[in-house]
Amino acid sequence: MPEFKRIAVIGAGTMGSGIAAQIANAGHQVLLMDLPGKDDPLAVVNAAKTRLLKSDPPALVHKSRIDLIQVGNIRDDFELLAECDWIVEAIVERLDIKKDLYNRLNETISADCVVTSNTSTIPISLLVEDMPVDFRKRFAITHYFNPVRYMRLLELVRGTDTDETIMDRLADYNDTVMGKGVVRCNDTPGFLGNRVGVFALQVGMDEAAKNNLTVEEADALMGRPMGIPKTGVFGLYDLIGVDLMSDVVDTLGDILPSNDLFHAIGTSNNPVMPLIRDMVANGYTGDKGKGGFYRVDGETELAVDLTTGQTRPRISTLPDSAVAAANAQAVGGETLTIMIDGTDPHATFCRRFLARVLAYAADLIPTVTHSPQDIDDAMKLGFNWVRGPFELIDALGAATVADLIAEAGLDIPMSITQSISTGPFYAAQSGTLNVLTFDPTAKYAPVVLPENTQRFHMSKRTMTPIATNDAASLYALDDDLRLIEFHSKANALTGASMEIVLAAAKDHGKGIIVHNDAQHFSAGVDLNRFRAFIEAGDWDAMDSFLNDFQQAVKALKYTPVPVIGAPSGLSIGGGFEVLAHCDKVIAHTNTVFGLVETGVGVVPGGGGVKETLSRWFNATNDWDKAAWNTWMQIGYGQIGTSPDLSARMQYYLKDRDIEILNRDKLLHAATTEMAIMQGDYTAPTPPTFTLPGRAILTKMANFMQKGIDDGLFHPHDKTVAMQVAEIVVNGAGDEPLIVSEQDMYDRERRAFLHLAKTPQTRARITSLLDTGTAIRN
């Protein structure tokens, strides 16, 4: 399928510049255009490029990608669009202005140029109602979600006259080049993501007010226990912008049919909306302003009381059901049944929230889409839900959901009634995962994914693990491959996790892939385990735990078959140490690498210091430089926000590892690369390390002391840093010391235990676990 070669984006606002940045992230040139500035014709577009360079989180995988974004203005440079084969319109949401632009484009662009709009509010039928048929054939809606780099969903909407080959080209380019999960939508109000997602947020607010819950309680209940991001509803309003969300609600209220259930909780009937109007009028627009539902006054964290509208100290105590659900989630248990059990306000909130949202989503079948997968994908890709509405219905059981809906006084949608009689919405049949579709009658059909796309959380429904426990599982893939999946809470690594790593090293087949498609590959070793060791003073058990971890990753490194790590999201601490012992890393572009242990007063204890030292020596061929660079990198806890940025810190090796822009392609890329590596593979040879003499310790100590004197470091920072030094330097003598790989493991454990015994490290770990922030001491 022909790839787009010359792309332009018209509109340099947040969305337009974000779309241009993602095209640049893919390594393609793009022309970004907007209105001319008053004094400088390129002031608007150049300001957009400046914002991209300063954005947090970074919109670009590397600042050098900004050079791929060319600029122009639609007064002086409009003729440049004649060279384009795809133009994305991302201008103000006014129909008259868009129509004027389309008429100008029609007079300028080539007969083959595709035009799309990023609108989410104006029907495609209205956008092109006055345009010639030839233009309408090449027109579609490409609705991206903000921030474009991180939000995976693209809603692709065709018009009545849109050529199907154009739709296929757009879907293929966005899937394979821009890394998007493409959901094809009908031209219906709000499409799928916003229609269900914003409805869910409004229901959350409505039920919180009706059940007299605090914003903290509502977010805790509606967040992680339900598989929704921890921001819940009020935190997400703050993150997106209270004012922007208010505008989205107003817009949906204007475009949805009069009989749509959204109107009951939109602008006029939702008890929280008057408070939102008042907040916006007074500048409380969320995180970007003076705060929103959550605020900070000095060092005091505040939250808004939904009844009075006044602020009060923020409550950190979680509802009992949320705690119970988190505990169940940590061992792979079902959380939803815990959340809806009972008649107290918390359970009532959960019951009614699920009833109303699941009924709303199910009622969109088949009028808006024939396939539940479309809605599930939209919510997982666009709102970061762990499970889509129909997957939630399957988890609870369609009959249970029907009872919840009836209890809420709502009509039970046809699709749920059909599921009760036919079977779950998703069913593994003959090794294939099928979905119950309604086109036009209910029948099972294979789930639909683009070529080379694999989502392991779906694939594994057709598999039985070779070995499994609460924290991880080992699966057999085609071609006698093995896959290690971490699946604990936040994929924090435990002893059970490493048992599965060891099992894979023994039953390795023809190759091992370490992968999961959770939001984060792994946030590191479970700190609660270390806290328990510290509070019990059980240093032997701590040493044994660390040794078991080391021996597991060591076994992984020396298996006689290739080992590939395929991470996405956070891959830090112990998570990175697992990847560091793989032969190759195939990483999603947005993977965050880092060894961050020094921030909580310890050192990497699973081979992280050893592997970093080895990499720096390979880069410098100088053991003194390698020791210093390792000490600096580990001491500062440096992280990289993408593989490209991480290369300079030796987390990601450009001459060995691979970057993938679409995280759904990771597993396919790993299996493809595995076939190449198997041909002449030999396991690595155990290395030796030459540690510099102790003279360098004085330089390191002086560096830290100056930082303390200048107010940059705290006293315990120096203690931690010097323990890192004890790993990479021969502190016992003036001459270089040659040590084995096992010696390096031993040095890491010794430094870790030394620090764990200090009250300052205990305070840091306790602070992080109890408050979410490690104190500086």
Side-chain angles (χ1 to χ4, degrees), residues 370-382:
H370 295 294
S371 175
Q373 185 192 345
D374 289 340
I375 297 175
D376 283 348
D377 283 354
M379 296 311 300
K380 290 188 291 185
L381 298 170

mmCIF file with all atom_site columns, all heavy atoms in Angstrom, residues 370-382:
data_model
loop_
_atom_site.group_PDB
_atom_site.id
_atom_site.type_symbol
_atom_site.label_atom_id
_atom_site.label_alt_id
_atom_site.label_comp_id
_atom_site.label_asym_id
_atom_site.label_entity_id
_atom_site.label_seq_id
_atom_site.pdbx_PDB_ins_code
_atom_site.Cartn_x
_atom_site.Cartn_y
_atom_site.Cartn_z
_atom_site.occupancy
_atom_site.B_iso_or_equiv
_atom_site.pdbx_formal_charge
_atom_site.auth_seq_id
_atom_site.auth_comp_id
_atom_site.auth_asym_id
_atom_site.auth_atom_id
_atom_site.pdbx_PDB_model_num
ATOM 1  N N   . HIS A 1 370 ? -21.244 -2.372 15.059 1.00 0.00 ? 370 HIS A N   1
ATOM 2  C CA  . HIS A 1 370 ? -21.704 -3.755 15.182 1.00 0.00 ? 370 HIS A CA  1
ATOM 3  C C   . HIS A 1 370 ? -20.834 -4.558 16.144 1.00 0.00 ? 370 HIS A C   1
ATOM 4  O O   . HIS A 1 370 ? -21.266 -5.601 16.634 1.00 0.00 ? 370 HIS A O   1
ATOM 5  C CB  . HIS A 1 370 ? -21.692 -4.447 13.812 1.00 0.00 ? 370 HIS A CB  1
ATOM 6  C CG  . HIS A 1 370 ? -22.650 -3.861 12.831 1.00 0.00 ? 370 HIS A CG  1
ATOM 7  N ND1 . HIS A 1 370 ? -24.009 -3.925 12.992 1.00 0.00 ? 370 HIS A ND1 1
ATOM 8  C CD2 . HIS A 1 370 ? -22.435 -3.174 11.669 1.00 0.00 ? 370 HIS A CD2 1
ATOM 9  C CE1 . HIS A 1 370 ? -24.607 -3.326 11.974 1.00 0.00 ? 370 HIS A CE1 1
ATOM 10 N NE2 . HIS A 1 370 ? -23.678 -2.865 11.159 1.00 0.00 ? 370 HIS A NE2 1
ATOM 11 N N   . SER A 1 371 ? -19.620 -4.087 16.412 1.00 0.00 ? 371 SER A N   1
ATOM 12 C CA  . SER A 1 371 ? -18.672 -4.902 17.169 1.00 0.00 ? 371 SER A CA  1
ATOM 13 C C   . SER A 1 371 ? -18.341 -4.294 18.525 1.00 0.00 ? 371 SER A C   1
ATOM 14 O O   . SER A 1 371 ? -17.863 -3.152 18.601 1.00 0.00 ? 371 SER A O   1
ATOM 15 C CB  . SER A 1 371 ? -17.381 -5.082 16.375 1.00 0.00 ? 371 SER A CB  1
ATOM 16 O OG  . SER A 1 371 ? -16.418 -5.779 17.159 1.00 0.00 ? 371 SER A OG  1
ATOM 17 N N   . PRO A 1 372 ? -18.535 -5.041 19.604 1.00 0.00 ? 372 PRO A N   1
ATOM 18 C CA  . PRO A 1 372 ? -18.098 -4.575 20.926 1.00 0.00 ? 372 PRO A CA  1
ATOM 19 C C   . PRO A 1 372 ? -16.604 -4.269 20.977 1.00 0.00 ? 372 PRO A C   1
ATOM 20 O O   . PRO A 1 372 ? -16.159 -3.429 21.760 1.00 0.00 ? 372 PRO A O   1
ATOM 21 C CB  . PRO A 1 372 ? -18.447 -5.753 21.847 1.00 0.00 ? 372 PRO A CB  1
ATOM 22 C CG  . PRO A 1 372 ? -19.556 -6.463 21.148 1.00 0.00 ? 372 PRO A CG  1
ATOM 23 C CD  . PRO A 1 372 ? -19.250 -6.328 19.689 1.00 0.00 ? 372 PRO A CD  1
ATOM 24 N N   . GLN A 1 373 ? -15.825 -4.937 20.133 1.00 0.00 ? 373 GLN A N   1
ATOM 25 C CA  . GLN A 1 373 ? -14.382 -4.706 20.141 1.00 0.00 ? 373 GLN A CA  1
ATOM 26 C C   . GLN A 1 373 ? -14.049 -3.261 19.803 1.00 0.00 ? 373 GLN A C   1
ATOM 27 O O   . GLN A 1 373 ? -13.088 -2.689 20.331 1.00 0.00 ? 373 GLN A O   1
ATOM 28 C CB  . GLN A 1 373 ? -13.672 -5.646 19.160 1.00 0.00 ? 373 GLN A CB  1
ATOM 29 C CG  . GLN A 1 373 ? -12.149 -5.534 19.226 1.00 0.00 ? 373 GLN A CG  1
ATOM 30 C CD  . GLN A 1 373 ? -11.447 -6.232 18.083 1.00 0.00 ? 373 GLN A CD  1
ATOM 31 O OE1 . GLN A 1 373 ? -12.041 -7.049 17.370 1.00 0.00 ? 373 GLN A OE1 1
ATOM 32 N NE2 . GLN A 1 373 ? -10.185 -5.905 17.880 1.00 0.00 ? 373 GLN A NE2 1
ATOM 33 N N   . ASP A 1 374 ? -14.830 -2.634 18.914 1.00 0.00 ? 374 ASP A N   1
ATOM 34 C CA  . ASP A 1 374 ? -14.564 -1.241 18.552 1.00 0.00 ? 374 ASP A CA  1
ATOM 35 C C   . ASP A 1 374 ? -14.640 -0.336 19.789 1.00 0.00 ? 374 ASP A C   1
ATOM 36 O O   . ASP A 1 374 ? -13.780 0.532  20.000 1.00 0.00 ? 374 ASP A O   1
ATOM 37 C CB  . ASP A 1 374 ? -15.574 -0.759 17.512 1.00 0.00 ? 374 ASP A CB  1
ATOM 38 C CG  . ASP A 1 374 ? -15.348 -1.398 16.159 1.00 0.00 ? 374 ASP A CG  1
ATOM 39 O OD1 . ASP A 1 374 ? -14.236 -1.896 15.904 1.00 0.00 ? 374 ASP A OD1 1
ATOM 40 O OD2 . ASP A 1 374 ? -16.304 -1.410 15.346 1.00 0.00 ? 374 ASP A OD2 1
ATOM 41 N N   . ILE A 1 375 ? -15.659 -0.542 20.595 1.00 0.00 ? 375 ILE A N   1
ATOM 42 C CA  . ILE A 1 375 ? -15.827 0.284  21.797 1.00 0.00 ? 375 ILE A CA  1
ATOM 43 C C   . ILE A 1 375 ? -14.761 -0.042 22.826 1.00 0.00 ? 375 ILE A C   1
ATOM 44 O O   . ILE A 1 375 ? -14.186 0.851  23.458 1.00 0.00 ? 375 ILE A O   1
ATOM 45 C CB  . ILE A 1 375 ? -17.245 0.097  22.374 1.00 0.00 ? 375 ILE A CB  1
ATOM 46 C CG1 . ILE A 1 375 ? -18.298 0.580  21.360 1.00 0.00 ? 375 ILE A CG1 1
ATOM 47 C CG2 . ILE A 1 375 ? -17.398 0.847  23.693 1.00 0.00 ? 375 ILE A CG2 1
ATOM 48 C CD1 . ILE A 1 375 ? -19.724 0.328  21.773 1.00 0.00 ? 375 ILE A CD1 1
ATOM 49 N N   . ASP A 1 376 ? -14.471 -1.321 23.008 1.00 0.00 ? 376 ASP A N   1
ATOM 50 C CA  . ASP A 1 376 ? -13.433 -1.717 23.956 1.00 0.00 ? 376 ASP A CA  1
ATOM 51 C C   . ASP A 1 376 ? -12.082 -1.143 23.554 1.00 0.00 ? 376 ASP A C   1
ATOM 52 O O   . ASP A 1 376 ? -11.339 -0.609 24.390 1.00 0.00 ? 376 ASP A O   1
ATOM 53 C CB  . ASP A 1 376 ? -13.344 -3.243 24.045 1.00 0.00 ? 376 ASP A CB  1
ATOM 54 C CG  . ASP A 1 376 ? -14.461 -3.839 24.866 1.00 0.00 ? 376 ASP A CG  1
ATOM 55 O OD1 . ASP A 1 376 ? -15.177 -3.078 25.546 1.00 0.00 ? 376 ASP A OD1 1
ATOM 56 O OD2 . ASP A 1 376 ? -14.618 -5.074 24.845 1.00 0.00 ? 376 ASP A OD2 1
ATOM 57 N N   . ASP A 1 377 ? -11.750 -1.252 22.260 1.00 0.00 ? 377 ASP A N   1
ATOM 58 C CA  . ASP A 1 377 ? -10.470 -0.710 21.800 1.00 0.00 ? 377 ASP A CA  1
ATOM 59 C C   . ASP A 1 377 ? -10.411 0.794  22.001 1.00 0.00 ? 377 ASP A C   1
ATOM 60 O O   . ASP A 1 377 ? -9.368  1.348  22.397 1.00 0.00 ? 377 ASP A O   1
ATOM 61 C CB  . ASP A 1 377 ? -10.256 -1.039 20.323 1.00 0.00 ? 377 ASP A CB  1
ATOM 62 C CG  . ASP A 1 377 ? -9.838  -2.481 20.098 1.00 0.00 ? 377 ASP A CG  1
ATOM 63 O OD1 . ASP A 1 377 ? -9.598  -3.191 21.095 1.00 0.00 ? 377 ASP A OD1 1
ATOM 64 O OD2 . ASP A 1 377 ? -9.749  -2.901 18.930 1.00 0.00 ? 377 ASP A OD2 1
ATOM 65 N N   . ALA A 1 378 ? -11.511 1.487  21.731 1.00 0.00 ? 378 ALA A N   1
ATOM 66 C CA  . ALA A 1 378 ? -11.525 2.942  21.901 1.00 0.00 ? 378 ALA A CA  1
ATOM 67 C C   . ALA A 1 378 ? -11.249 3.333  23.341 1.00 0.00 ? 378 ALA A C   1
ATOM 68 O O   . ALA A 1 378 ? -10.489 4.271  23.610 1.00 0.00 ? 378 ALA A O   1
ATOM 69 C CB  . ALA A 1 378 ? -12.878 3.505  21.439 1.00 0.00 ? 378 ALA A CB  1
ATOM 70 N N   . MET A 1 379 ? -11.818 2.609  24.287 1.00 0.00 ? 379 MET A N   1
ATOM 71 C CA  . MET A 1 379 ? -11.622 2.956  25.695 1.00 0.00 ? 379 MET A CA  1
ATOM 72 C C   . MET A 1 379 ? -10.240 2.554  26.196 1.00 0.00 ? 379 MET A C   1
ATOM 73 O O   . MET A 1 379 ? -9.645  3.245  27.032 1.00 0.00 ? 379 MET A O   1
ATOM 74 C CB  . MET A 1 379 ? -12.715 2.303  26.554 1.00 0.00 ? 379 MET A CB  1
ATOM 75 C CG  . MET A 1 379 ? -14.119 2.808  26.249 1.00 0.00 ? 379 MET A CG  1
ATOM 76 S SD  . MET A 1 379 ? -14.217 4.614  26.204 1.00 0.00 ? 379 MET A SD  1
ATOM 77 C CE  . MET A 1 379 ? -13.685 5.027  27.849 1.00 0.00 ? 379 MET A CE  1
ATOM 78 N N   . LYS A 1 380 ? -9.719  1.456  25.696 1.00 0.00 ? 380 LYS A N   1
ATOM 79 C CA  . LYS A 1 380 ? -8.382  1.026  26.129 1.00 0.00 ? 380 LYS A CA  1
ATOM 80 C C   . LYS A 1 380 ? -7.297  1.889  25.499 1.00 0.00 ? 380 LYS A C   1
ATOM 81 O O   . LYS A 1 380 ? -6.320  2.250  26.168 1.00 0.00 ? 380 LYS A O   1
ATOM 82 C CB  . LYS A 1 380 ? -8.162  -0.452 25.773 1.00 0.00 ? 380 LYS A CB  1
ATOM 83 C CG  . LYS A 1 380 ? -9.019  -1.404 26.611 1.00 0.00 ? 380 LYS A CG  1
ATOM 84 C CD  . LYS A 1 380 ? -8.665  -2.852 26.395 1.00 0.00 ? 380 LYS A CD  1
ATOM 85 C CE  . LYS A 1 380 ? -9.042  -3.355 25.030 1.00 0.00 ? 380 LYS A CE  1
ATOM 86 N NZ  . LYS A 1 380 ? -8.803  -4.807 24.874 1.00 0.00 ? 380 LYS A NZ  1
ATOM 87 N N   . LEU A 1 381 ? -7.467  2.241  24.244 1.00 0.00 ? 381 LEU A N   1
ATOM 88 C CA  . LEU A 1 381 ? -6.447  3.016  23.544 1.00 0.00 ? 381 LEU A CA  1
ATOM 89 C C   . LEU A 1 381 ? -6.571  4.518  23.791 1.00 0.00 ? 381 LEU A C   1
ATOM 90 O O   . LEU A 1 381 ? -5.569  5.231  23.795 1.00 0.00 ? 381 LEU A O   1
ATOM 91 C CB  . LEU A 1 381 ? -6.529  2.745  22.031 1.00 0.00 ? 381 LEU A CB  1
ATOM 92 C CG  . LEU A 1 381 ? -6.278  1.304  21.591 1.00 0.00 ? 381 LEU A CG  1
ATOM 93 C CD1 . LEU A 1 381 ? -6.624  1.137  20.118 1.00 0.00 ? 381 LEU A CD1 1
ATOM 94 C CD2 . LEU A 1 381 ? -4.838  0.908  21.841 1.00 0.00 ? 381 LEU A CD2 1
ATOM 95 N N   . GLY A 1 382 ? -7.797  4.998  23.985 1.00 0.00 ? 382 GLY A N   1
ATOM 96 C CA  . GLY A 1 382 ? -8.010  6.433  24.115 1.00 0.00 ? 382 GLY A CA  1
ATOM 97 C C   . GLY A 1 382 ? -8.126  6.936  25.532 1.00 0.00 ? 382 GLY A C   1
ATOM 98 O O   . GLY A 1 382 ? -7.850  8.105  25.810 1.00 0.00 ? 382 GLY A O   1
#
